[in-house]
Amino acid sequence: MNVIDLLQEHRIDYLSEGHEHCRPGWVQLDCPFCSAGSGRYRLGVNLTYAYANCWSCGSHSLPSVLAVFLRISFRDAKKLVQGVRSERIERGPHQGHYTEPPGVVGLLGAHKTYLKGRGYNYPDLERLWHIRGIGIAPRLQWRVYIPITLHGAPVSWTTRSISADAPSKYMSARPEEETIPHKHLLYGQDYCRHACVVCEGPLDAWTIGPGAVATFGLSYTSEQVKRIAQYPVRAICFDNEPAAQRVAKDLVNVLSTLPGETFNITLDSKDPGEATQKEIRRIRKTILE
Ligand SMILES: [Zn+2]
C-alpha cells in the first residue's frame, strides 16, 4: 500500500488538490499537532518519502502523525507504516512472482468461528474463493488467506485479520511475492461476465457473490479503472459513509467518460457486509443477473 491507501483505510481526511496548500506529490491533512479540526490542512505528507511537515509547527514522522489521528501508540503506528511503499519504488518495473507466505493451511477452528460470526458460510467461501487460513506463523498470523487469481491462476494474495484489534485489517503480498501487483487487479474478476459490482474489500465481494469485485481499499488505480471499464454494466458499491461515497462519486465520474453504463449504489446499511439478504438480492437482480 502507499500513503494514500493508508490514509483512506483509516478514514483520515486529506486534500490532494484544489486547496491552496496542495502541491504535486503531497497530500494535506488538518494538522493534529497545532490546529486540529481547523480545516486549514497545514500538514503536508510527502508521497515519495512518506514523511510529514506542517507549515506552522514543523516536521513530524508519519508514525507520530498516525498515532495522534488514530489515538494509538507510536509502536502500533510504526507497524502500520511498515507496509507503506513509497510512490517512487512502486513505479519501477515489476519483477515479483506469486509466492505464498509461510504457514498457509486449511481453515482452522478460529477462522471458521470468525467467518460464521460475520455471517458467511465458510464451505461456500472455500469452494468459490479458495480461501485458506494462517495460524501461528512468523508473519500474518491468525489471518484468512485470500488468493487473487487472474484467468484461473493465482497472481497475488491478501489476508484478513480475524482479530478485532489487529492494526491492519488487510495485509497483502509484498511486491516480490506477487506476479501482478494487487492494486493493478480486481479481486473476483474471473467471475465477471457482462457486469461487475465494485466493492472496497474481498469480504464485501463475498457477500454480494460472484460478479462482485474489490479494489483492495478505498483508493483505486488507473489499471483498476481500465479493468472495470471492460464491463458494459458496472456499479460502484462502497461503504455508506462520507469518505467512501466521495471516492465512489469520483470513480463513477471517471467511468462515465468511458463507453458503458455506470451506477452508484448507496446501501441502506453501513457496508455490503452488513446489508440484508433482501438488499443483496436486489443488487444481484438489477446489476448482475
Ligand atoms: Zn502543525
Side-chain angles (χ1 to χ4, degrees), residues 127-206:
R127 194 183 68 249
L128 283 172
W129 303 100
H130 306 291
I131 62 166
R132 283 176 286 159
I134 304 175
I136 292 169
R139 58 189 261 244
L140 306 169
Q141 62 177 337
W142 299 112
R143 287 171 171 271
V144 177
Y145 179 75
I146 306 169
I148 306 164
T149 62
L150 186 65
H151 311 310
V155 289
S156 183
W157 50 265
T158 187
T159 64
R160 175 65 165 82
S161 170
I162 61 172
S163 85
D165 53 359
S168 291
K169 281 194 295 185
Y170 287 102
M171 291 193 62
S172 304
R174 296 169 178 158
E176 65 272 20
E177 294 168 325
E178 46 189 11
T179 311
I180 303 176
H182 60 282
K183 284 299 282 185
H184 293 188
L185 296 162
L186 295 173
Y187 179 73
Q189 193 179 355
D190 279 355
Y191 281 125
C192 294
R193 301 293 179 260
H194 72 294
C196 66
V197 175
V198 183
C199 315
E200 292 177 46
L203 271 73
D204 301 325
W206 298 346

Side-chain angles (χ1 to χ4, degrees), residues 31 33-35 42 54 56-57 60:
C31 182
F33 300 100
C34 71
S35 47
R42 287 168 167 164
C54 170
S56 179
C57 69
H60 305 279

